[in-house]
Amino acid sequence: MSSRIALVGPGRLGQAVCRLLADAGHEFVAVVSRDLARARAAARFIGNPQAATTDLTKVKEAEMVFLALPDDAIAPMATRLRQEGLVRPDTVLVHFSGIHDSSILEGEGTPVRGLAIHPMQSFADAVIGMRNLPGSLFAIEGDASLIPLARELVDDMGGLPFILTREQKPLYHAAACTASNFLVALVATAGEMLSYCGIDAKDAGRLFAPLLSGTVKNLSTLGPQSALTGPIVRGDILTVEKHLAALEALPEEVRRIYRLMGEKTVDLAEESGRLEADKAEGLRRLLQK
């Protein structure tokens, strides 16, 4: 079932989500930004150039209003829409924050029903984000009567919906950040290590990309325990000793990251049944020195 939707905040995520929904038959009646040029570019990307506007009152024409805004801007905008009468009682407000639940859409003024729909995906670019969304997980939380609608929207984007409670949102978001943002930080750390080998750390992303791509494929096919490779799961204590010796020339924080991740890798390797208990204990002692 198609809906009439208004987008407030046409950034990379908003454009990616709305383009997929437009392709699925939903109508975008307004694409609102404080910058008209930005609104026009986003509206063209979504597929309805005429929807571009700086006039927030245009959201009145919509059945759903998407607030694709920075986390701290969502609640103030929802409050403004309610208090200025820019949304009807039957209007559905939707935000895409990973950390906030749908309660930030509620409050005084015209009552509205709220949904939080968070795609577990990164949006470095609207086009790449749009291509990556199909097959991604989408966390859904909100008014129970709106869960079928949320599932429909996620299905229209080719996503995989799963339901969260309000209390679960922060831990869910921490997990997503650990998997995505911390991976970037780990690659940057590995690049810092390479810089001591005479390789520019700025090239780390490009140089590690094939390795990371293979690792991700293994993870998606086999899961973490079976996808794990390397000296720790093989129980190669001498190799880890050589790593630690080489790391002595590097900053303490780099050594600390290696040791911490090494200990976690030992746990995972032992849980997989591929690392013997005596070797696991030897590796832990070595990493904790």
Side-chain angles (χ1 to χ4, degrees), residues 105-118:
L105 302 172
E106 303 167 358
E108 297 179 359
T110 303
V112 297
R113 294 180 297 167
L115 271 177
I117 302 176
H118 180 256

Side-chain angles (χ1 to χ4, degrees), residues 68-130:
L69 298 166
D71 287 345
D72 292 345
I74 296 170
M77 178 57 71
T79 299
R80 180 180 175 186
L81 293 177
R82 293 192 315 269
Q83 292 183 347
E84 294 184 12
L86 300 180
V87 286
R88 303 185 303 267
D90 60 343
T91 302
V92 177
L93 285 182
V94 181
H95 76 65
F96 299 94
S97 169
I99 188 65
H100 291 308
D101 60 58
S102 61
S103 67
I104 67 168
L105 302 172
E106 303 167 358
E108 297 179 359
T110 303
V112 297
R113 294 180 297 167
L115 271 177
I117 302 176
H118 180 256
M120 192 183 283
Q121 189 52 262
S122 60
F123 294 88
D125 174 87
V127 175
I128 296 173
M130 178 188 70

Side-chain angles (χ1 to χ4, degrees), residues 5 8 22 27 48 81 85 90 98-99 127 134-135 144 157 171 182 184 191 202 226 231 247 265:
I5 302 171
V8 179
E27 179 185 0
N48 183 9
L81 293 177
D90 60 343
I99 188 65
V127 175
M157 288 183 276
L171 185 57
F182 292 2
V184 174
K202 294 179 181 178
S226 296
L247 287 168
T265 304

